Amino acid sequence: MTAINEVTDLSREGEIALITLNSPPVNALSAKVRDGLAEAFRQAIADREAKAIVLICEGKTFIAGADITEFGKPPKGTSLLDLEDIIEGAPKPVIAAIHGTALGGGLEVALCAHYRVAVPSARCGLPEVNIGLLPGAGGTQRLPRIVGPEMALDMVTSGRHVPAKQSLEVGLVDELAPEEQLRDAAIAFTRKVVAENRPLRKVRDSNEKVEAARGHPEIFANFRKENARRFRGLKAPENNIQCIEAAVNLPFEQGLKEERRLFVELFQDSQSRAQQYVFFAEREVWKIPDVPPDTPTIPVNKVGIVGAGTMGGGIAMNFANAGIPVTLVEAKQEALDRGLSVIRRNYENTAKKGRMTAADVEKRMSLLKGSMALEDLADSDLVIEAVFENMDIKKEVFGKLDQIVKPGAVLATNTSYLDTDEIASATKRPESVIGLHFFSPANVMRLLEVVRADKTSKPVVATSMQIAKKIGKIAALVGVCPGFVGNRMLAQRQREAQKLVMEGAMPWDVDRVLYDFGFPMGPFQMSDLAGLDIGWSKESSKGATIREVLCEMDRRGQKTGAGFYDYDENRNAKPSPVTAKIIEDFRAKSGTNVRQISDEEILERCIYPTINEGAKILEEGKAIRASDIDVVWINGYGWPKYRGGPMWYGDLIGLDKVLGRMREWQAQMGDVFAPSKLLEQLVTDGKAFTRPK
Ligand code: T1G
């Protein structure tokens, strides 16, 4: 065994050279990895007794891609393309032995080998699109030569991982190895290649699948049309598509050049920087400075949920999906039955779409038990309260849970803005109380705000973050304040949206500007979708707001066919002259001087106060990092990931510009626009929220 460098070893198994890479955590293609592999291949090629070469990795996975932490730094060491030339040009067979995930540059390297062996649990993919890029080391030219342009289009624009079995079927992999015997199986396969004198097969020379697609531009036109909504606003999917087109229409070397051009275009664009930032932000968010990874946690094997309404039912599904039994408690049988039947209907709808089997539905439902007695939650490890958003009701529930539930259990509230400290004060164990703020629909939305109260213990925090990961959420630890992080910032945008409508914009102007910015929909369409009558009552309604008037006219949103918008039978929204008239009457009554408002002002008035509120949240210590706030907005509020999140976006446009506008509006419209101290300080110091300058 020769240590080529600190991450690469070269050894011999008889007549087979074995190159072993060990660069945790994911064998990413850093400079030292590229240097080590290049040198190891050179030595193995020069070794006349070595008849073939196997490349294998230690640790949890085969090479999982280029080293994203190196992006944006001056390139050093062997280039990836040079390394690939050495491998593909080797005068003896090279076999890649794949476990874990061969992704991005990792799969590109494997496609330069002559053959590939994988274990059944392995997966192959080119997920560069998820960080705003494309496979920039020949992947877009080699992949379609193996799997054909149609599958290549799907893989490079979705970034999905193809399991080993399917990889074998489509030719990405040549043989499956027994799960725990990759090394031996790869060596045995290589010996077979040598014994049978199999050709030095180069993917770049295999043209039949791309030539067959030549002259069929409809493959690409149809793909673009079918995916237009999914790719809206994103640049990377289109560049990926153009690369596959190049693979079909151009000779390999020219296709490589086109890939390079299209890669550089993305690499230099803010969209890829934003998505790389988000990649790391969504990993950083799990790290809590004063709750180290070895903090003891409470095993959660039984969950209780109080309330089987929309939220309680959705929350319950998360745990059933993770195989954790749940007891759902409701006060009335009818409410309990309704809650359980809604859950069943959700699962059956998923089964209808083929995303789960009827057996899965029954298995999930078997994990859900209904009850009308809180006493049935006595031996739950975690109890989540999801009752009506009223402090007295919540305190009453927690007082009872305190009496009933076993010591050491986690008692969580799903409140979306109430004071978790006050709720904890209703128990004798405030150290066990925490907030788990799910977002509706709770079984779909990825975000979970974990609300740390004053007395919440570290094991309870650690347990909550751990169970969040287990049920597939992305959790952000936030502090107690009205609306926590997401809703507190959203309130700024909602207020400005309503004021803009009084000042001269129409709801559909505001929605269009925010939709074009990249949100799935604007605030008024969102209100119509959720229902304008949430928290509204006919008895107490006084026609004092546009929303109240709309509700009084039974225009309660999509569900009544009209709200801010009019809806046709397919629920397509159209600006409503009725709403416009109501707005004009309110403007006249309030004496507001109506003016033409530009799209730019609409966007700035909705976004900048949101950023400023994020700064206040940071200076109050209600979020650990600016990037956590961005994780909240991307995963809970539809902020387009290619714009990084409100705090990253603020840095991109310049905090001095945000501060300047906030000061202007403060002078014109009052202290609701007062800049946060942190924003002022960062501008003074020439610093940023998310990029230490
Ligand atoms: N570069 C650097 N660090 C990486 C990394 C990468 N490519 N992938 C993961 N990490 C770090 C991650 O930050 C975390 O660090 C740790 O590894 C575990 O990751 C030229 C241009 C492989 C499926 O996009 O999808 O190749 O927080 O928590 O859940 O064409 O990581 O522990 O300090 O995600 O088990 C293309 C990205 C790159 C793959 C493992 N490759 N990675 O998931 O662990 S661009 C990717 C993943 C490229 C070429 C192009 C996942 C994973 P820390 P993790 P996991």
Side-chain angles (χ1 to χ4, degrees):
M1 167 90 81
T2 316
I4 301 296
N5 68 7
E6 69 266 41
V7 293
T8 317
D9 288 333
L10 174 61
S11 59
R12 279 275 297 284
E13 288 292 326
E15 77 289 19
I16 308 296
L18 190 66
I19 297 175
T20 306
L21 176 62
N22 188 7
S23 180
V26 297
N27 288 309
L29 287 159
S30 60
K32 64 184 177 189
V33 165
R34 300 192 305 271
D35 287 343
L37 290 179
E39 179 53 24
F41 272 100
R42 276 192 285 269
Q43 292 189 23
I45 288 166
D47 177 353
R48 304 170 71 79
E49 285 165 35
K51 301 287 175 257
I53 304 166
V54 171
L55 168 61
I56 195 164
C57 294
E58 298 282 346
K60 76 178 184 182
T61 176
F62 186 76
I63 303 166
D67 183 341
I68 309 174
T69 63
E70 285 186 353
F71 289 178
K73 295 173 188 160
K76 58 182 190 183
T78 310
S79 79
L80 182 50
L81 291 173
D82 287 348
L83 170 62
E84 290 184 330
D85 287 345
I86 295 169
I87 297 170
E88 192 177 50
K92 55 185 82 171
V94 175
I95 284 82
I98 298 171
H99 73 294
T101 48
L103 299 176
L107 181 57
E108 291 177 295
V109 164
L111 293 179
C112 289
H114 304 107
Y115 298 92
R116 287 158 291 282
V117 175
V119 291
S121 60
R123 306 193 309 265
C124 298
L126 292 175
E128 288 87 338
V129 69
N130 294 333
I131 51 173
L133 294 172
L134 56 84
T140 66
Q141 304 306 302
R142 290 189 174 88
L143 182 69
R145 283 176 162 78
I146 294 182
V147 305
E150 291 86 344
M151 182 167 176
L153 280 170
D154 167 54
M155 284 181 68
V156 296
T157 57
S158 67
R160 73 183 174 88
H161 299 176
V162 177
K165 188 169 171 301
Q166 190 188 358
S167 296
L168 180 71
E169 287 157 7
V170 298
L172 273 177
V173 157
D174 299 291
E175 181 155 295
L176 290 188
E179 198 60 55
E180 303 306 325
Q181 296 159 34
L182 177 60
R183 186 178 181 281
D184 295 346
I187 288 169
F189 175 81
T190 303
R191 288 199 164 113
K192 211 164 50 174
V193 167
V194 172
E196 294 166 5
N197 197 22
R198 284 200 204 175
L200 298 182
R201 185 187 61 178
K202 293 183 182 179
V203 174
R204 65 161 61 210
D205 298 334
S206 162
N207 292 314
E208 58 274 15
K209 288 192 176 172
V210 290
E211 283 165 359
R214 211 162 283 167
H216 293 284
E218 70 279 4
I219 294 172
F220 300 96
N222 294 341
F223 186 79
R224 286 186 172 98
K225 207 160 106 239
E226 283 151 27
N227 292 284
R229 273 181 68 81
R230 192 156 67 95
F231 299 157
R232 181 173 72 92
L234 287 158
K235 293 179 179 171
E238 175 53 30
N239 280 33
N240 272 279
I241 294 169
Q242 289 181 29
C243 284
I244 306 299
E245 279 180 312
V248 166
N249 299 322
L250 299 174
F252 186 85
E253 284 302 335
Q254 284 180 40
L256 267 190
K257 286 196 177 67
E258 186 61 355
E259 176 189 271
R260 188 85 209 134
R261 179 184 72 79
L262 290 162
F263 176 88
V264 170
E265 200 175 86
L266 292 176
F267 195 79
Q268 291 171 341
D269 191 281
S270 67
Q271 285 203 4
S272 65
R273 288 205 307 278
Q275 292 171 80
Q276 288 149 42
Y277 159 78
V278 171
F279 174 86
F280 289 111
E282 291 187 342
R283 284 151 180 83
E284 193 69 15
V285 74
W286 296 100
K287 296 170 187 167
I288 302 160
D290 71 330
V291 181
D294 60 357
T295 303
T297 54
I298 299 138
V300 176
N301 300 308
K302 285 194 76 168
V303 171
I305 294 176
V306 183
T310 309
M311 289 309 290
I315 294 168
M317 291 176 71
N318 287 297
F319 293 96
N321 296 343
I324 300 171
V326 180
T327 301
L328 261 169
V329 171
E330 258 293 354
K332 294 195 183 66
Q333 187 65 50
E334 184 229 340
L336 183 59
D337 295 346
R338 186 171 57 245
L340 288 169
S341 66
V342 165
I343 293 173
R344 172 174 285 281
R345 198 169 59 241
N346 282 340
Y347 281 138
E348 285 169 351
N349 287 342
T350 305
K352 273 196 206 104
K353 293 174 196 155
R355 292 211 299 267
M356 66 195 286
T357 64
D360 291 334
V361 174
E362 295 316 319
K363 185 162 174 297
R364 305 269 168 100
M365 290 308 294
S366 71
L367 289 166
L368 298 169
K369 197 157 68 67
S371 162
M372 289 193 288
L374 282 176
E375 287 68 21
D376 286 347
L377 303 186
D379 65 343
S380 300
D381 305 304
L382 163 66
V383 178
I384 303 172
E385 165 271 314
V387 301
F388 191 64
E389 275 295 86
N390 170 288
M391 181 57 84
D392 294 341
I393 297 176
K394 289 185 184 297
K395 287 173 80 170
E396 186 193 346
V397 166
F398 272 80
K400 288 179 185 162
L401 292 174
D402 195 26
Q403 303 299 322
I404 295 166
V405 181
K406 69 182 181 186
V410 176
L411 305 181
T413 170
N414 172 54
T415 183
S416 54
Y417 65 93
L418 292 175
D419 185 327
T420 314
D421 292 320
E422 187 177 344
I423 293 172
S425 70
T427 73
K428 296 186 200 59
R429 45 173 136 171
E431 70 284 355
S432 298
V433 177
I434 196 162
L436 294 181
H437 176 212
F438 288 82
F439 285 73
S440 185
N443 55 309
V444 173
M445 293 300 285
R446 205 170 156 228
L447 178 65
L448 180 68
E449 281 184 325
V450 177
V451 186
R452 183 177 191 173
D454 278 351
K455 297 190 173 73
T456 305
S457 73
K458 293 184 180 184
V460 167
V461 171
T463 301
S464 302
M465 298 299 280
Q466 187 180 67
I467 196 67
K469 189 169 274 192
K470 181 156 186 179
I471 62 173
K473 298 298 180 189
I474 187 154
L477 190 70
V478 299
V480 177
C481 58
F484 312 128
V485 168
N487 284 344
R488 174 172 162 181
M489 293 168 70
L490 180 67
Q492 297 295 315
R493 190 183 84 177
Q494 301 303 73
R495 183 199 65 238
E496 287 310 299
Q498 280 148 28
K499 281 166 58 185
L500 285 160
V501 164
M502 289 302 289
E503 294 170 26
M506 278 294 168
W508 25 96
D509 298 324
V510 176
D511 283 350
R512 169 179 47 79
V513 166
L514 290 173
Y515 178 81
D516 290 348
F517 180 77
F519 285 99
M521 63 173 72
F524 298 100
Q525 257 192 309
M526 182 66 88
S527 301
D528 273 0
L529 178 66
L532 298 183
D533 53 353
I534 295 177
W536 175 79
S537 77
K538 208 177 182 75
E539 299 65 44
S540 60
S541 190
K542 298 185 180 55
T545 65
I546 295 166
R547 189 175 77 103
E548 281 196 344
V549 170
L550 288 169
C551 287
E552 287 160 15
M553 294 170 71
D554 217 18
R555 294 175 64 97
R556 303 184 189 184
Q558 274 196 25
K559 61 189 175 188
T560 57
F564 283 103
Y565 293 83
D566 293 331
Y567 293 90
D568 65 19
E569 61 288 349
N570 300 320
R571 293 204 164 196
N572 294 316
K574 279 186 300 176
S576 165
V578 172
T579 304
K581 177 77 175 60
I582 294 168
I583 289 168
E584 281 149 13
D585 293 348
F586 266 93
R587 287 171 180 168
K589 261 189 285 180
S590 71
T592 316
N593 64 322
V594 179
R595 61 189 172 90
Q596 186 64 33
I597 301 179
S598 69
D599 287 0
E600 188 191 13
E601 179 178 348
I602 290 174
L603 184 65
E604 290 179 350
R605 286 270 298 277
C606 288
I607 301 285
Y608 292 7
T610 305
I611 296 170
N612 189 52
E613 197 64 27
K616 289 180 182 172
I617 285 167
L618 280 173
E619 65 190 35
E620 292 168 23
K622 301 302 181 189
I624 297 171
R625 332 168 172 84
S627 57
D628 290 5
I629 294 174
D630 288 336
V631 168
V632 164
W633 268 80
I634 285 166
N635 290 286
Y637 295 83
W639 184 284
K641 67 173 183 173
Y642 58 84
R643 294 190 195 275
M647 312 314 276
W648 190 89
Y649 183 73
D651 289 341
L652 178 71
I653 51 178
L655 296 186
D656 52 343
K657 181 177 178 192
V658 176
L659 178 58
R661 296 292 272 149
M662 293 299 288
R663 282 181 171 153
E664 266 173 52
W665 295 329
Q666 182 182 18
Q668 291 162 12
M669 297 182 273
D671 286 345
V672 72
F673 293 99
S676 78
K677 300 271 171 299
L678 175 60
L679 177 60
E680 291 177 323
Q681 194 58 55
L682 288 173
V683 172
T684 305
D685 301 345
K687 288 192 176 149
F689 288 123
T690 61
R691 280 194 302 280
K693 273 208 168 144

